[in-house]
Amino acid sequence: MSRLWGGRFEGGLDQIAKAFSFSIEIDQRLYPYDIALNRAHAKGLNQVGVLTEEEWVALDTALIAVKQEMDDNVAGLMDDDEDVHSLVERLVVQKVGSIGKKMHTGKSRNDQVATGMRLWVLDTIDPLKEGVVGCIRSLLQLALRYEHQLFPAFTHFQPAQPTLLSHHLLAYVSMFERDLTRLEHARVSADCCPLGSGAVVGSGFPIDREFVARELGFTRVTDNSIDAVSDRDFLLDLLAMAGACMVHLSRLSDELVLWSSPLIGMITIGDSYTTGSSLMPQKKNPDIAELIRGKTSRVNSAWLTLASVIKGLPLAYNRDFQEDKGIVFDAVDTLMQALGCMEGMLQTVVFHPHAIEAHMQKGQLLATELADLLVKEGVPFRDAHELTGKLVALADREGKTLADLSATQLKSVSPLIPEGILAHLTMGSAVSSKNVLGGTAPNQIRDRLNHLIRIYGG
Ligand code: ARG
């Protein structure tokens, strides 16, 4: 057997056209799914009497043997193997001759490829989930180790207010938890079996589609054959998750790059996730974090690239869809690697409390707290803001922090400022006073940590 569609053609495909159109290099990784769906389909054909018991057993045995050969990498490709579907069929026909030629009864590569991709996505969700949970666990370990460490919170990358380092780290946990929700959504999207939709209008044989779907582990079947062979929303949903997750990894990477610069010096990243320079002997560069940040653009554009493939296509299947695989495999492979790198890299990160505390002396981190203290003394907030602004200007002129101003200096700005107010102005009390749900107060962080430990261990 050569091509799957030879009948009406006299000549073969031009060599350039062949090289341009064959997808076997990219889609052969779908073989376990293609074999699984062929087995389920053959069983379905037997159930409704289209295949005899012997024919079905022969096909099933051949498919199992082909799977083994492919696992062992001994199947061997031939020049006419266009895609994974034609490859699997050729190998089956080689084993069982004309019975193999019955395998494609009542199905098309159109419902087949849609089913294979869905099965691949469903198998990809758990490893991705493990990758995300791995990052959550590494962050949780760091947050537990540095639970009480003070840290500058930033807005506009300007020192803003004191926080706990654990609070900052747990911000990323919140992001990754949203990615887990996105993964569950991608799972629901993919969990719907198109098999039985045929090329476009449904199978001409009375297959029990729900039986076949259950055989493959799907919980639902598609409800419109025209949509089923041309729907790639489940891939867009996975790519949306991949993009969002890479954005989170990228922001974290960006902070690791900044924090590890000798100019900031708040962390050291371990040698196993940094590299040297071929020229400058002193360098210890955060290349892995930079590459996560860099590769994010590839993964982010994947959604748009696939959406652009789909957007102008008339219903139903068009060969353009073949482009989906390269885009999706690349994005998911990159995300998997990035998650693994981030999980491992975080385990090597050491924070430097002295450097962090030295940085906290810059930027008048306690200004908002001072304004809040004035409010608690009865000063309207807008006035308190104004007064504190003046005190900040004074302290900056004197090269001091707000807490170092003298009673006379306070009075020089306004008699409204109570003497002794500065006694309450400490980093620790500023943090403790943010005692709202989701705030940085130590007991809020403890509650959150306890909650996370219950879910992810700790
Ligand atoms: N390799 C094709 C793809 O990925 C399989 C489906 C081919 N269908 C067709 N009608 N030519 O989309």
Side-chain angles (χ1 to χ4, degrees), residues 17 42 73 153 182 263 287 299 330 378:
N73 209 7
R182 289 185 176 92
L263 291 181
D287 289 33
V299 179
D330 179 68

Side-chain angles (χ1 to χ4, degrees), residues 159-236:
Q161 291 179 270
T163 185
L164 293 178
L165 174 53
S166 45
H167 193 45
H168 192 106
L169 294 168
L170 293 183
Y172 287 101
V173 171
S174 297
M175 298 179 216
F176 289 129
E177 285 204 303
R178 291 196 291 277
D179 293 329
L180 293 178
T181 308
R182 289 185 176 92
L183 267 177
E184 285 313 316
H185 175 68
R187 192 200 301 275
V188 173
S189 268
D191 180 13
C192 197
C193 184
L195 212 57
S197 301
V200 61
V201 291
S203 173
F205 297 85
I207 294 168
D208 180 350
R209 292 192 58 214
E210 278 162 342
F211 168 79
V212 174
R214 272 197 307 279
E215 284 288 300
L216 290 169
F218 286 105
T219 55
R220 294 175 296 147
V221 296
T222 52
D223 49 26
N224 179 306
S225 64
I226 298 177
D227 177 50
V229 292
S230 65
D231 169 25
R232 296 294 181 273
D233 290 2
F234 65 102
L235 295 178
L236 289 175

Side-chain angles (χ1 to χ4, degrees), residues 377 406-408 410-411 414-424:
E377 296 290 334
S406 67
T408 339
L410 292 188
K411 288 282 171 224
S414 164
L416 280 176
I417 304 174
E419 209 165 309
I421 196 164
L422 294 184
H424 306 289

Side-chain angles (χ1 to χ4, degrees), residues 21-39:
S21 62
F22 277 28
S23 57
I24 187 72
E25 295 292 337
I26 289 177
D27 64 24
Q28 62 175 310
R29 69 194 272 179
L30 291 177
Y31 80 85
Y33 311 103
D34 196 71
I35 290 171
L37 68 86
N38 270 303
R39 291 186 64 194

Side-chain angles (χ1 to χ4, degrees), residues 102-406:
K102 296 189 172 187
M103 189 171 75
H104 207 56
T105 313
K107 78 173 159 59
S108 151
R109 280 184 296 165
N110 299 352
D111 57 353
Q112 196 167 338
V113 72
T115 307
M117 274 307 269
R118 283 171 181 272
L119 288 171
W120 179 85
V121 171
L122 290 171
D123 249 15
T124 305
I125 304 277
D126 280 341
L128 283 174
K129 194 170 165 181
E130 268 170 48
V132 176
V133 168
C135 289
I136 291 179
R137 290 212 173 99
S138 292
L139 285 162
L140 196 50
Q141 289 312 313
L142 279 175
L144 287 166
R145 193 176 324 145
Y146 298 105
E147 181 176 349
H148 304 291
Q149 173 63 50
L150 291 163
F151 197 70
F154 298 87
T155 66
H156 313 267
F157 199 51
Q158 307 280 322
Q161 291 179 270
T163 185
L164 293 178
L165 174 53
S166 45
H167 193 45
H168 192 106
L169 294 168
L170 293 183
Y172 287 101
V173 171
S174 297
M175 298 179 216
F176 289 129
E177 285 204 303
R178 291 196 291 277
D179 293 329
L180 293 178
T181 308
R182 289 185 176 92
L183 267 177
E184 285 313 316
H185 175 68
R187 192 200 301 275
V188 173
S189 268
D191 180 13
C192 197
C193 184
L195 212 57
S197 301
V200 61
V201 291
S203 173
F205 297 85
I207 294 168
D208 180 350
R209 292 192 58 214
E210 278 162 342
F211 168 79
V212 174
R214 272 197 307 279
E215 284 288 300
L216 290 169
F218 286 105
T219 55
R220 294 175 296 147
V221 296
T222 52
D223 49 26
N224 179 306
S225 64
I226 298 177
D227 177 50
V229 292
S230 65
D231 169 25
R232 296 294 181 273
D233 290 2
F234 65 102
L235 295 178
L236 289 175
D237 288 342
L238 182 68
L239 291 178
M241 177 277 157
C245 190
M246 283 300 289
V247 166
H248 300 148
L249 289 167
S250 181
R251 294 187 77 179
L252 180 51
S253 296
D254 185 66
E255 298 214 297
L256 296 177
V257 170
L258 290 176
W259 296 346
S260 65
S261 161
L263 291 181
I264 295 182
M266 295 202 293
I267 63 168
T268 304
I269 304 174
D271 287 358
S272 45
Y273 287 90
T274 46
T275 61
S277 155
S278 58
L279 176 70
M280 300 165 283
Q282 86 282 15
K283 295 282 257 162
K284 179 171 161 64
N285 294 326
D287 289 33
I288 302 304
E290 291 171 286
L291 280 168
I292 293 175
R293 197 174 56 184
K295 286 172 190 276
T296 298
S297 57
R298 256 210 351 247
V299 179
N300 281 347
S301 22
W303 188 95
L304 190 58
T305 310
L306 181 57
S308 309
V309 169
I310 302 168
K311 75 172 177 60
L313 299 181
L315 297 178
Y317 178 86
N318 299 271
R319 187 69 177 271
D320 313 45
F321 283 132
Q322 183 168 290
E323 286 297 298
D324 62 0
K325 284 161 218 72
I327 299 166
V328 171
F329 293 157
D330 179 68
V332 171
D333 292 346
T334 306
L335 174 60
M336 273 304 298
Q337 283 186 313
L339 287 166
C341 283
M342 182 57 83
E343 175 183 354
M345 178 160 57
L346 288 173
Q347 286 165 14
T348 73
V349 167
V350 175
F351 281 85
H352 304 306
H354 289 305
I356 294 170
E357 277 146 34
H359 283 303
M360 293 185 76
Q361 296 311 309
K362 300 171 223 164
Q364 308 294 7
L365 278 176
L366 288 172
T368 312
E369 185 61 13
L370 180 54
D372 281 355
L373 288 175
L374 289 170
V375 168
K376 286 169 191 165
E377 296 290 334
V379 182
F381 178 74
R382 208 30 77 207
D383 297 338
H385 188 286
E386 175 80 15
L387 286 179
T388 309
K390 290 197 169 120
L391 290 170
V392 165
L394 174 62
D396 280 352
R397 272 201 306 280
E398 302 272 318
K400 290 179 166 181
T401 64
L402 285 171
D404 292 333
L405 290 175
S406 67

